[in-house]
Amino acid sequence: MDKPDMTRIETRCRWQGWREKLCSAEEAAALIEDGMTVGMSGFTRAGEAKEVPRALAERAALDPLSITLMTGASLGNDLDKLLTEANVLSRRMPFQVDATLRRAINDGRVMFIDQHLSETVELLRNRQLAELDVAVVEACAITEEGGIVPTTSVGNSASYAILADKVIIELNLDAPAELEGLHDIYIPQMRPTRPPIPVVAPDSRIGTPYIPIDPDKIAAIVVTEGRDSPSTVLPPDADTRRIADHLIRFFTEEVSAGRLAPSLLPLQAGIGSMANAVMSGLAEGPFEHLTMYSEVLQDSTFDLLDAGKLDFASGCSITLSEACGERVWSNLDAYRERLILRPQELSNHPGIARRLGIIAINTALEVDIYGNVNSTHVGGTKMMNGIGGSGDFARNAQLSVFVTKAVAKGGDLSSVVPFVSHVDHTEHDVDVLVTEHGLADLRGLAPRERAERVIEQCADPRYRPALRRYFAEACGRGGHTPHCLEQALAWHIAVERDGHMRSLQAEGAEAVGA
């Protein structure tokens, strides 16, 4: 940015020592050296430091260096792309969504560690990962004591700032000042004497509204102006509406059976167009006084708040489309009392998820007939984005729901297969599968019973004959979980060989005709 406006800075930075630490993004980036481990703020394209990473990429073009980069989740403003193209990244964790970085990961040029999002700082805190040299954290304010007030995400920023040797703060004057007070920063104590984390409801406040750090660790303050990248979620379509309708019907039946109250239980939804569209569909349901305990607060969160359906939402980041962002950021005071942003080790904490009885709704790339879910690897080998927080919630939720469209690539691929090519969530962690064709409630079913239900309720009609044929042949060979091992991955081999699964449709139809 141009010459800093000292008056504007003083309204955001109340720490006395800030003037001595003020520097350019280039000067701050010079504090990051080759081989360092660096933690940066940012979670699902929200709240990332925007200028220091850019300056680091520009510097690397002239002075090559490589680092291990930890974040909360994905970075916005093409930062992963720029850092990858500049060969800055030797190792990256725990989540990403950038196409350029994805290619480098799948080519083996960047070592990617895919982690449950609740685990990264636990591993770091217990010295199971390399110690953190530098943390780069975006802030909307700095308190009198040097505490960092995050912007639109907390992610792993709090622990990174506390554990790093040096802290670089990007003070973003474009971030709404009204964000201050929205955050609830609580750091679990060390094991084995850690007391229970006292979150007993989505609206529990147990910490401070800022990240408490030793101000002597503040190595640089860079004043910036910049916005988060808008969410790329797509609006609901006919298929996602049908998926939402299936879920609304299922929840209504659960309420009628007395297994859920009309307010359901705290909701969690994965990031992306599918989960966002399904959550938006709940606005049409009969449920009132809903709450949310999730990781990402998306457009659907604010749609439900505006519809009067949602009373409170807790997460670790806010990621909005451009249109929804205009509505929310210009009117943040209307939402402040109904929102909390926490560190992701709390938003995704397995113990809290189990205590609150979360209803978890996450997205699958593919599912198999026994209920195993692949949410990360295309064709079993190529990383898409990462497991994210889905595993944190799936194993510990009261209801673990996975949604997917039944086909992909215009029908060339079936998302329901005999055996997933990579397992992220085993059949033991999956209660309900939903596609546009129907919902399979898998609770209390043995593998053979699950297979019949998934095929008949979730698979696309074009692929059901082939799935029935596979299951029948597998059952003929016996086993608790019947499989024909030589055919188990044949569907994926067909894609690798032909680029589609259409030949399996024909084989299934021939078998039915015979």
Side-chain angles (χ1 to χ4, degrees), residues 444-463:
L445 299 184
R448 292 176 186 238
E449 295 169 315
R450 287 198 297 267
E452 291 179 347
R453 189 162 294 184
V454 170
I455 292 169
E456 302 307 326
Q457 299 296 325
C458 295
D460 188 271
R462 287 168 287 184
Y463 288 98

Side-chain angles (χ1 to χ4, degrees), residues 492-514:
H492 310 292
I493 293 170
V495 176
E496 191 174 78
R497 182 188 64 233
D498 306 325
H500 58 79
M501 297 176 179
R502 292 195 304 271
S503 59
L504 295 157
Q505 295 180 27
E507 290 174 9
E510 289 173 5
V512 171

Side-chain angles (χ1 to χ4, degrees), residues 377-390:
H377 284 73
V378 176
T381 64
K382 294 182 174 61
M383 170 59 65
M384 179 56 72
N385 300 325
I387 195 169
S390 55

